[in-house]
Amino acid sequence: MPDGGTFVGDRSYPALVLNADFRPLSYFPLSIWSWQDAVKAVFLDRVSVLSEYEASVHSPSLTMKLPSVIALKDFIPATRRPAFTRFNVFLRDSFACQYCGEAQQTHDLTFDHVIPRSRGGRTTWENVVAACGPCNLRKGNRLPKDCQMIPRLPPRQPTAWELQENGRSFPPNYLHESWRDYLYWDSELES
């Protein structure tokens, strides 16, 4: 068990995982590993430790500070085609209703078929958008032109890069100060 520091809430010393090019594997969800997985990867020589917490773990013969930022030694290419999931649709649409434009929490968004399934619409990237509950109910089983509810952005399959860029706009709940240089290293600096 880690010592040298106390646990704060549910904080369990996660490690930010970077690819071999020092970019996060994923921004949303943020690529993090538990301290146990990070320590195991260090001992298997699969990662380089770039930053450490003050907390450490002990074995009978070794004391090791817990890694806070690690980089893979082998580069993992990004997937070309993101999976079609409810979460990725919300991420593509920046967690905003595509009818009224209001930003929503994930649990307040729904999955809307632009062309309803009952009218031949399919469950694909090109026919599904994020919608708030009230807009989804108002649109109902109608076509966009029949109810004057046209999605703000035409639904389409995003690239993995687009999802990563959208994810950068939604910082995670927990950010250790040692992560900041690696998460936003290519953002424009304030003058």
Side-chain angles (χ1 to χ4, degrees):
M1 192 65 137
D3 68 16
T6 58
F7 283 99
V8 179
D10 290 331
R11 185 168 164 217
S12 55
Y13 300 96
L16 174 65
V17 184
L18 307 176
N19 211 336
D21 65 355
F22 297 96
R23 292 180 185 222
L25 289 176
S26 169
Y27 279 98
F28 208 85
L30 188 60
S31 52
I32 58 174
W33 288 354
S34 68
W35 68 265
Q36 296 94 329
D37 289 338
V39 167
K40 180 179 178 182
V42 169
F43 278 101
L44 293 174
D45 200 31
R46 293 182 180 157
V47 298
S48 300
V49 177
L50 304 178
S51 186
E52 300 170 323
Y53 291 106
E54 287 301 315
S56 53
V57 288
H58 305 276
S59 75
S61 61
L62 179 71
T63 297
M64 175 184 176
K65 283 190 173 185
L66 293 174
S68 66
V69 180
I70 55 177
L72 301 175
K73 289 192 174 183
D74 295 323
F75 183 79
I76 297 177
T79 58
R80 293 186 182 268
R81 296 177 55 125
F84 179 67
T85 64
R86 182 178 300 268
F87 184 83
N88 281 347
V89 168
F90 296 163
L91 184 57
R92 175 200 67 189
D93 295 344
S94 298
F95 299 94
C97 174
Q98 290 304 291
Y99 298 115
C100 69
E102 289 292 317
Q104 302 284 329
Q105 295 292 322
T106 305
H107 61 271
D108 292 329
L109 283 172
T110 63
F111 204 71
D112 182 61
H113 290 80
V114 177
I115 299 172
R117 290 189 305 178
S118 64
R119 296 182 175 229
R122 300 185 52 149
T123 305
T124 64
W125 281 112
E126 295 76 18
N127 191 46
V128 172
V129 295
C132 66
C135 284
N136 201 343
L137 282 172
R138 194 168 81 240
K139 180 177 171 287
N141 196 29
R142 298 179 291 174
L143 294 172
K145 63 182 167 94
D146 296 341
C147 58
Q148 304 304 311
M149 292 181 72
I150 310 297
R152 291 171 178 264
L153 297 172
R156 62 180 181 74
Q157 180 173 345
T159 64
W161 183 85
E162 289 170 313
L163 290 183
Q164 289 290 1
E165 286 301 301
N166 283 0
R168 291 170 56 135
S169 300
F170 301 96
N173 293 334
Y174 172 77
L175 279 176
H176 189 262
E177 63 268 5
S178 65
W179 299 4
R180 296 181 195 277
D181 288 338
Y182 300 98
L183 289 177
Y184 305 107
W185 66 273
D186 57 351
S187 297
E188 189 171 325
L189 299 174
E190 295 176 19
S191 52

Short mmCIF file of all heavy atoms in Angstrom, two decimals, residues 88-141:
data_model
loop_
_atom_site.label_atom_id
_atom_site.label_comp_id
_atom_site.label_asym_id
_atom_site.label_seq_id
_atom_site.Cartn_x
_atom_site.Cartn_y
_atom_site.Cartn_z
N ASN A 88 -19.27 7.93 -28.07
CA ASN A 88 -18.54 8.58 -29.16
C ASN A 88 -19.45 9.49 -29.99
O ASN A 88 -18.98 10.51 -30.51
CB ASN A 88 -17.85 7.54 -30.04
CG ASN A 88 -16.56 7.03 -29.43
OD1 ASN A 88 -16.04 7.61 -28.48
ND2 ASN A 88 -16.04 5.95 -29.97
N VAL A 89 -20.73 9.16 -30.11
CA VAL A 89 -21.67 10.08 -30.77
C VAL A 89 -21.75 11.37 -29.95
O VAL A 89 -21.67 12.47 -30.50
CB VAL A 89 -23.06 9.44 -30.94
CG1 VAL A 89 -24.10 10.50 -31.36
CG2 VAL A 89 -23.01 8.32 -31.97
N PHE A 90 -21.90 11.24 -28.63
CA PHE A 90 -21.96 12.44 -27.78
C PHE A 90 -20.67 13.24 -27.88
O PHE A 90 -20.71 14.47 -27.94
CB PHE A 90 -22.22 12.05 -26.32
CG PHE A 90 -23.55 11.38 -26.06
CD1 PHE A 90 -23.75 10.68 -24.89
CD2 PHE A 90 -24.59 11.44 -26.98
CE1 PHE A 90 -24.97 10.07 -24.63
CE2 PHE A 90 -25.82 10.83 -26.74
CZ PHE A 90 -26.01 10.14 -25.55
N LEU A 91 -19.54 12.56 -27.91
CA LEU A 91 -18.26 13.25 -28.02
C LEU A 91 -18.14 13.95 -29.37
O LEU A 91 -17.72 15.10 -29.45
CB LEU A 91 -17.11 12.25 -27.81
CG LEU A 91 -15.71 12.82 -27.81
CD1 LEU A 91 -15.55 13.90 -26.75
CD2 LEU A 91 -14.69 11.70 -27.57
N ARG A 92 -18.53 13.27 -30.45
CA ARG A 92 -18.52 13.90 -31.78
C ARG A 92 -19.34 15.19 -31.76
O ARG A 92 -18.94 16.20 -32.33
CB ARG A 92 -19.10 12.92 -32.82
CG ARG A 92 -19.23 13.53 -34.22
CD ARG A 92 -20.20 12.80 -35.10
NE ARG A 92 -21.57 12.91 -34.62
CZ ARG A 92 -22.59 12.22 -35.11
NH1 ARG A 92 -22.40 11.33 -36.08
NH2 ARG A 92 -23.81 12.38 -34.63
N ASP A 93 -20.50 15.14 -31.09
CA ASP A 93 -21.41 16.28 -31.04
C ASP A 93 -21.11 17.23 -29.88
O ASP A 93 -21.92 18.09 -29.55
CB ASP A 93 -22.86 15.78 -30.98
CG ASP A 93 -23.27 15.03 -32.24
OD1 ASP A 93 -22.58 15.15 -33.27
OD2 ASP A 93 -24.29 14.32 -32.21
N SER A 94 -19.96 17.07 -29.26
CA SER A 94 -19.48 17.93 -28.16
C SER A 94 -20.47 18.02 -27.00
O SER A 94 -20.62 19.07 -26.38
CB SER A 94 -19.14 19.33 -28.68
OG SER A 94 -18.10 19.25 -29.62
N PHE A 95 -21.15 16.91 -26.72
CA PHE A 95 -22.08 16.83 -25.59
C PHE A 95 -23.13 17.92 -25.64
O PHE A 95 -23.53 18.47 -24.61
CB PHE A 95 -21.33 16.84 -24.25
CG PHE A 95 -20.38 15.68 -24.11
CD1 PHE A 95 -19.05 15.81 -24.46
CD2 PHE A 95 -20.83 14.45 -23.69
CE1 PHE A 95 -18.18 14.74 -24.37
CE2 PHE A 95 -19.96 13.37 -23.59
CZ PHE A 95 -18.64 13.51 -23.94
N ALA A 96 -23.58 18.24 -26.85
CA ALA A 96 -24.61 19.26 -27.03
C ALA A 96 -25.73 18.70 -27.89
O ALA A 96 -25.47 17.94 -28.84
CB ALA A 96 -24.02 20.51 -27.69
N CYS A 97 -26.96 19.09 -27.57
CA CYS A 97 -28.11 18.70 -28.37
C CYS A 97 -27.94 19.28 -29.77
O CYS A 97 -27.66 20.48 -29.91
CB CYS A 97 -29.40 19.20 -27.72
SG CYS A 97 -30.88 18.92 -28.73
N GLN A 98 -28.12 18.47 -30.78
CA GLN A 98 -27.94 18.94 -32.15
C GLN A 98 -29.16 19.68 -32.69
O GLN A 98 -29.13 20.16 -33.81
CB GLN A 98 -27.56 17.77 -33.06
CG GLN A 98 -26.17 17.25 -32.79
CD GLN A 98 -25.13 18.35 -32.93
OE1 GLN A 98 -24.86 18.83 -34.02
NE2 GLN A 98 -24.55 18.77 -31.81
N TYR A 99 -30.20 19.78 -31.89
CA TYR A 99 -31.39 20.52 -32.29
C TYR A 99 -31.45 21.90 -31.63
O TYR A 99 -31.60 22.90 -32.30
CB TYR A 99 -32.66 19.72 -32.01
CG TYR A 99 -32.68 18.42 -32.79
CD1 TYR A 99 -32.63 17.20 -32.15
CD2 TYR A 99 -32.71 18.43 -34.19
CE1 TYR A 99 -32.63 16.01 -32.86
CE2 TYR A 99 -32.70 17.24 -34.92
CZ TYR A 99 -32.66 16.04 -34.25
OH TYR A 99 -32.64 14.87 -34.97
N CYS A 100 -31.29 21.98 -30.32
CA CYS A 100 -31.35 23.28 -29.63
C CYS A 100 -29.97 23.86 -29.33
O CYS A 100 -29.85 25.03 -29.02
CB CYS A 100 -32.17 23.17 -28.35
SG CYS A 100 -31.38 22.21 -27.02
N GLY A 101 -28.92 23.04 -29.39
CA GLY A 101 -27.56 23.52 -29.16
C GLY A 101 -27.13 23.56 -27.72
O GLY A 101 -25.99 23.94 -27.44
N GLU A 102 -28.00 23.21 -26.78
CA GLU A 102 -27.67 23.26 -25.36
C GLU A 102 -26.69 22.15 -24.98
O GLU A 102 -26.91 20.98 -25.30
CB GLU A 102 -28.93 23.12 -24.51
CG GLU A 102 -29.82 24.33 -24.54
CD GLU A 102 -29.21 25.55 -23.88
OE1 GLU A 102 -28.60 25.40 -22.80
OE2 GLU A 102 -29.33 26.64 -24.46
N ALA A 103 -25.62 22.54 -24.27
CA ALA A 103 -24.67 21.55 -23.74
C ALA A 103 -25.38 20.78 -22.62
O ALA A 103 -26.16 21.36 -21.86
CB ALA A 103 -23.42 22.24 -23.21
N GLN A 104 -25.10 19.49 -22.53
CA GLN A 104 -25.77 18.61 -21.57
C GLN A 104 -24.77 17.70 -20.88
O GLN A 104 -23.71 17.41 -21.44
CB GLN A 104 -26.80 17.73 -22.29
CG GLN A 104 -27.86 18.47 -23.07
CD GLN A 104 -28.92 19.07 -22.18
OE1 GLN A 104 -29.24 18.53 -21.13
NE2 GLN A 104 -29.46 20.21 -22.59
N GLN A 105 -25.16 17.21 -19.71
CA GLN A 105 -24.41 16.13 -19.07
C GLN A 105 -24.72 14.86 -19.85
O GLN A 105 -25.80 14.73 -20.44
CB GLN A 105 -24.85 15.98 -17.61
CG GLN A 105 -24.53 17.16 -16.74
CD GLN A 105 -23.03 17.31 -16.53
OE1 GLN A 105 -22.30 16.34 -16.38
NE2 GLN A 105 -22.57 18.55 -16.54
N THR A 106 -23.80 13.91 -19.83
CA THR A 106 -23.99 12.66 -20.58
C THR A 106 -25.31 11.99 -20.22
O THR A 106 -26.04 11.54 -21.11
CB THR A 106 -22.82 11.70 -20.30
OG1 THR A 106 -21.60 12.38 -20.61
CG2 THR A 106 -22.91 10.46 -21.14
N HIS A 107 -25.65 11.95 -18.94
CA HIS A 107 -26.88 11.26 -18.53
C HIS A 107 -28.15 11.99 -18.97
O HIS A 107 -29.24 11.43 -18.90
CB HIS A 107 -26.88 10.99 -17.01
CG HIS A 107 -26.83 12.24 -16.18
ND1 HIS A 107 -25.64 12.81 -15.80
CD2 HIS A 107 -27.81 13.02 -15.69
CE1 HIS A 107 -25.90 13.90 -15.09
NE2 HIS A 107 -27.20 14.05 -15.01
N ASP A 108 -28.03 13.25 -19.44
CA ASP A 108 -29.20 13.99 -19.91
C ASP A 108 -29.34 13.96 -21.43
O ASP A 108 -30.30 14.53 -21.96
CB ASP A 108 -29.12 15.44 -19.43
CG ASP A 108 -29.26 15.57 -17.93
OD1 ASP A 108 -29.97 14.73 -17.33
OD2 ASP A 108 -28.67 16.50 -17.37
N LEU A 109 -28.39 13.34 -22.12
CA LEU A 109 -28.46 13.26 -23.58
C LEU A 109 -29.12 11.95 -24.02
O LEU A 109 -29.04 10.95 -23.31
CB LEU A 109 -27.06 13.34 -24.19
CG LEU A 109 -26.43 14.72 -24.24
CD1 LEU A 109 -24.97 14.62 -24.67
CD2 LEU A 109 -27.19 15.64 -25.18
N THR A 110 -29.74 12.01 -25.17
CA THR A 110 -30.30 10.81 -25.79
C THR A 110 -29.70 10.65 -27.17
O THR A 110 -29.04 11.54 -27.69
CB THR A 110 -31.84 10.89 -25.89
OG1 THR A 110 -32.18 11.99 -26.74
CG2 THR A 110 -32.49 11.07 -24.53
N PHE A 111 -29.99 9.52 -27.73
CA PHE A 111 -29.52 9.10 -29.03
C PHE A 111 -30.71 9.29 -29.97
O PHE A 111 -31.74 8.65 -29.77
CB PHE A 111 -29.23 7.60 -28.83
CG PHE A 111 -28.27 6.93 -29.71
CD1 PHE A 111 -26.94 7.20 -29.61
CD2 PHE A 111 -28.70 5.95 -30.59
CE1 PHE A 111 -26.03 6.51 -30.39
CE2 PHE A 111 -27.80 5.27 -31.36
CZ PHE A 111 -26.47 5.55 -31.27
N ASP A 112 -30.65 10.20 -30.95
CA ASP A 112 -31.80 10.41 -31.83
C ASP A 112 -31.48 9.98 -33.25
O ASP A 112 -30.42 10.31 -33.78
CB ASP A 112 -32.21 11.89 -31.84
CG ASP A 112 -33.42 12.10 -32.72
OD1 ASP A 112 -34.48 11.50 -32.44
OD2 ASP A 112 -33.31 12.85 -33.72
N HIS A 113 -32.40 9.24 -33.84
CA HIS A 113 -32.30 8.87 -35.26
C HIS A 113 -32.88 10.02 -36.07
O HIS A 113 -34.06 10.34 -35.93
CB HIS A 113 -33.07 7.59 -35.55
CG HIS A 113 -32.44 6.37 -34.95
ND1 HIS A 113 -32.59 6.04 -33.62
CD2 HIS A 113 -31.65 5.43 -35.50
CE1 HIS A 113 -31.91 4.93 -33.38
NE2 HIS A 113 -31.33 4.55 -34.50
N VAL A 114 -32.07 10.67 -36.90
CA VAL A 114 -32.52 11.80 -37.70
C VAL A 114 -33.68 11.34 -38.59
O VAL A 114 -34.75 11.95 -38.61
CB VAL A 114 -31.36 12.39 -38.53
CG1 VAL A 114 -31.85 13.53 -39.41
CG2 VAL A 114 -30.25 12.89 -37.60
N ILE A 115 -33.48 10.27 -39.32
CA ILE A 115 -34.58 9.61 -40.03
C ILE A 115 -35.00 8.46 -39.11
O ILE A 115 -34.21 7.54 -38.88
CB ILE A 115 -34.14 9.08 -41.41
CG1 ILE A 115 -33.67 10.25 -42.28
CG2 ILE A 115 -35.27 8.29 -42.07
CD1 ILE A 115 -33.04 9.84 -43.59
N PRO A 116 -36.20 8.54 -38.53
CA PRO A 116 -36.61 7.52 -37.56
C PRO A 116 -36.52 6.11 -38.13
O PRO A 116 -36.72 5.89 -39.33
CB PRO A 116 -38.07 7.90 -37.26
CG PRO A 116 -38.17 9.35 -37.60
CD PRO A 116 -37.22 9.55 -38.75
N ARG A 117 -36.22 5.16 -37.25
CA ARG A 117 -36.12 3.77 -37.68
C ARG A 117 -37.42 3.28 -38.30
O ARG A 117 -37.39 2.51 -39.25
CB ARG A 117 -35.71 2.88 -36.51
CG ARG A 117 -34.27 3.12 -36.11
CD ARG A 117 -33.76 2.14 -35.12
NE ARG A 117 -34.62 2.08 -33.94
CZ ARG A 117 -34.45 1.28 -32.91
NH1 ARG A 117 -33.43 0.44 -32.92
NH2 ARG A 117 -35.24 1.30 -31.88
N SER A 118 -38.54 3.76 -37.78
CA SER A 118 -39.84 3.33 -38.33
C SER A 118 -40.04 3.82 -39.76
O SER A 118 -40.93 3.35 -40.46
CB SER A 118 -40.98 3.85 -37.45
OG SER A 118 -41.00 5.26 -37.46
N ARG A 119 -39.19 4.76 -40.20
CA ARG A 119 -39.28 5.29 -41.57
C ARG A 119 -38.08 4.86 -42.41
O ARG A 119 -37.74 5.49 -43.39
CB ARG A 119 -39.38 6.80 -41.53
CG ARG A 119 -40.66 7.25 -40.85
CD ARG A 119 -40.74 8.75 -40.86
NE ARG A 119 -41.99 9.20 -40.33
CZ ARG A 119 -42.77 10.08 -40.92
NH1 ARG A 119 -42.41 10.60 -42.08
NH2 ARG A 119 -43.88 10.46 -40.36
N GLY A 120 -37.42 3.81 -41.94
CA GLY A 120 -36.30 3.26 -42.70
C GLY A 120 -34.93 3.76 -42.29
O GLY A 120 -33.93 3.38 -42.89
N GLY A 121 -34.87 4.61 -41.27
CA GLY A 121 -33.58 5.12 -40.80
C GLY A 121 -32.77 4.02 -40.13
O GLY A 121 -33.32 3.11 -39.50
N ARG A 122 -31.47 4.10 -40.28
CA ARG A 122 -30.59 3.09 -39.71
C ARG A 122 -29.81 3.67 -38.52
O ARG A 122 -29.67 4.87 -38.39
CB ARG A 122 -29.64 2.59 -40.78
CG ARG A 122 -30.42 1.96 -41.95
CD ARG A 122 -29.53 1.36 -42.95
NE ARG A 122 -28.61 0.45 -42.27
CZ ARG A 122 -28.11 -0.63 -42.81
NH1 ARG A 122 -28.41 -0.95 -44.02
NH2 ARG A 122 -27.26 -1.37 -42.15
N THR A 123 -29.29 2.78 -37.71
CA THR A 123 -28.49 3.19 -36.56
C THR A 123 -27.04 3.23 -37.02
O THR A 123 -26.30 2.26 -36.88
CB THR A 123 -28.71 2.22 -35.39
OG1 THR A 123 -30.10 2.16 -35.11
CG2 THR A 123 -27.98 2.72 -34.14
N THR A 124 -26.66 4.36 -37.61
CA THR A 124 -25.31 4.55 -38.16
C THR A 124 -24.83 5.95 -37.79
O THR A 124 -25.61 6.81 -37.38
CB THR A 124 -25.31 4.44 -39.70
OG1 THR A 124 -26.11 5.51 -40.24
CG2 THR A 124 -25.84 3.09 -40.17
N TRP A 125 -23.53 6.16 -37.97
CA TRP A 125 -22.95 7.49 -37.73
C TRP A 125 -23.71 8.56 -38.50
O TRP A 125 -23.88 9.68 -38.04
CB TRP A 125 -21.49 7.52 -38.18
CG TRP A 125 -20.50 6.91 -37.26
CD1 TRP A 125 -19.77 5.76 -37.49
CD2 TRP A 125 -20.05 7.41 -36.01
NE1 TRP A 125 -18.92 5.53 -36.43
CE2 TRP A 125 -19.07 6.52 -35.51
CE3 TRP A 125 -20.40 8.52 -35.23
CZ2 TRP A 125 -18.43 6.71 -34.30
CZ3 TRP A 125 -19.77 8.71 -34.02
CH2 TRP A 125 -18.79 7.81 -33.56
N GLU A 126 -24.13 8.22 -39.73
CA GLU A 126 -24.73 9.20 -40.63
C GLU A 126 -26.19 9.49 -40.34
O GLU A 126 -26.81 10.33 -41.01
CB GLU A 126 -24.57 8.74 -42.08
CG GLU A 126 -23.14 8.67 -42.57
CD GLU A 126 -22.34 7.47 -42.05
OE1 GLU A 126 -22.95 6.49 -41.57
OE2 GLU A 126 -21.10 7.53 -42.10
N ASN A 127 -26.78 8.80 -39.34
CA ASN A 127 -28.20 9.00 -39.05
C ASN A 127 -28.50 9.21 -37.56
O ASN A 127 -29.66 9.32 -37.19
CB ASN A 127 -29.02 7.82 -39.58
CG ASN A 127 -30.51 8.10 -39.54
OD1 ASN A 127 -30.96 9.17 -39.93
ND2 ASN A 127 -31.27 7.17 -39.01
N VAL A 128 -27.48 9.29 -36.73
CA VAL A 128 -27.71 9.41 -35.29
C VAL A 128 -27.01 10.68 -34.78
O VAL A 128 -25.89 10.97 -35.17
CB VAL A 128 -27.17 8.16 -34.56
CG1 VAL A 128 -27.21 8.34 -33.06
CG2 VAL A 128 -27.97 6.94 -34.95
N VAL A 129 -27.74 11.41 -33.93
CA VAL A 129 -27.18 12.61 -33.30
C VAL A 129 -27.50 12.61 -31.82
O VAL A 129 -28.41 11.92 -31.37
CB VAL A 129 -27.72 13.92 -33.94
CG1 VAL A 129 -27.29 14.05 -35.39
CG2 VAL A 129 -29.22 14.03 -33.80
N ALA A 130 -26.76 13.42 -31.08
CA ALA A 130 -27.07 13.65 -29.66
C ALA A 130 -28.23 14.62 -29.58
O ALA A 130 -28.29 15.59 -30.34
CB ALA A 130 -25.84 14.24 -28.96
N ALA A 131 -29.16 14.34 -28.68
CA ALA A 131 -30.32 15.22 -28.50
C ALA A 131 -30.70 15.25 -27.02
O ALA A 131 -30.58 14.25 -26.33
CB ALA A 131 -31.50 14.75 -29.34
N CYS A 132 -31.17 16.41 -26.56
CA CYS A 132 -31.70 16.47 -25.20
C CYS A 132 -33.08 15.80 -25.21
O CYS A 132 -33.71 15.65 -26.26
CB CYS A 132 -31.77 17.91 -24.71
SG CYS A 132 -32.95 18.96 -25.57
N GLY A 133 -33.54 15.41 -24.04
CA GLY A 133 -34.82 14.73 -23.94
C GLY A 133 -35.98 15.53 -24.52
O GLY A 133 -36.77 15.00 -25.31
N PRO A 134 -36.12 16.83 -24.15
CA PRO A 134 -37.24 17.61 -24.69
C PRO A 134 -37.24 17.70 -26.22
O PRO A 134 -38.29 17.57 -26.85
CB PRO A 134 -37.06 18.99 -24.05
CG PRO A 134 -36.33 18.71 -22.77
CD PRO A 134 -35.40 17.57 -23.09
N CYS A 135 -36.08 17.90 -26.83
CA CYS A 135 -36.02 17.98 -28.30
C CYS A 135 -36.33 16.62 -28.93
O CYS A 135 -37.02 16.54 -29.95
CB CYS A 135 -34.65 18.48 -28.76
SG CYS A 135 -34.40 20.26 -28.54
N ASN A 136 -35.82 15.56 -28.32
CA ASN A 136 -36.08 14.22 -28.84
C ASN A 136 -37.58 13.93 -28.81
O ASN A 136 -38.15 13.41 -29.77
CB ASN A 136 -35.29 13.18 -28.05
CG ASN A 136 -35.10 11.89 -28.82
OD1 ASN A 136 -35.78 11.62 -29.79
ND2 ASN A 136 -34.16 11.10 -28.37
N LEU A 137 -38.24 14.30 -27.71
CA LEU A 137 -39.69 14.10 -27.61
C LEU A 137 -40.44 14.97 -28.62
O LEU A 137 -41.40 14.52 -29.24
CB LEU A 137 -40.18 14.42 -26.20
CG LEU A 137 -39.92 13.36 -25.15
CD1 LEU A 137 -40.27 13.89 -23.76
CD2 LEU A 137 -40.71 12.10 -25.46
N ARG A 138 -40.01 16.23 -28.77
CA ARG A 138 -40.68 17.14 -29.70
C ARG A 138 -40.55 16.65 -31.14
O ARG A 138 -41.50 16.73 -31.92
CB ARG A 138 -40.12 18.55 -29.55
CG ARG A 138 -40.99 19.59 -30.24
CD ARG A 138 -40.62 21.02 -29.88
NE ARG A 138 -39.48 21.45 -30.65
CZ ARG A 138 -38.32 21.85 -30.12
NH1 ARG A 138 -38.15 21.88 -28.83
NH2 ARG A 138 -37.34 22.22 -30.89
N LYS A 139 -39.38 16.13 -31.50
CA LYS A 139 -39.18 15.63 -32.87
C LYS A 139 -39.98 14.36 -33.08
O LYS A 139 -40.61 14.18 -34.13
CB LYS A 139 -37.70 15.37 -33.13
CG LYS A 139 -37.43 14.85 -34.53
CD LYS A 139 -35.96 14.67 -34.77
CE LYS A 139 -35.70 13.95 -36.06
NZ LYS A 139 -36.00 12.54 -36.03
N GLY A 140 -39.97 13.51 -32.07
CA GLY A 140 -40.75 12.27 -32.16
C GLY A 140 -40.38 11.42 -33.36
O GLY A 140 -39.21 11.23 -33.68
N ASN A 141 -41.40 10.96 -34.05
CA ASN A 141 -41.24 10.03 -35.16
C ASN A 141 -41.29 10.75 -36.51
O ASN A 141 -41.57 10.15 -37.54
CB ASN A 141 -42.37 8.98 -35.07
CG ASN A 141 -42.08 7.78 -35.93
OD1 ASN A 141 -40.93 7.43 -36.15
ND2 ASN A 141 -43.12 7.15 -36.41
#
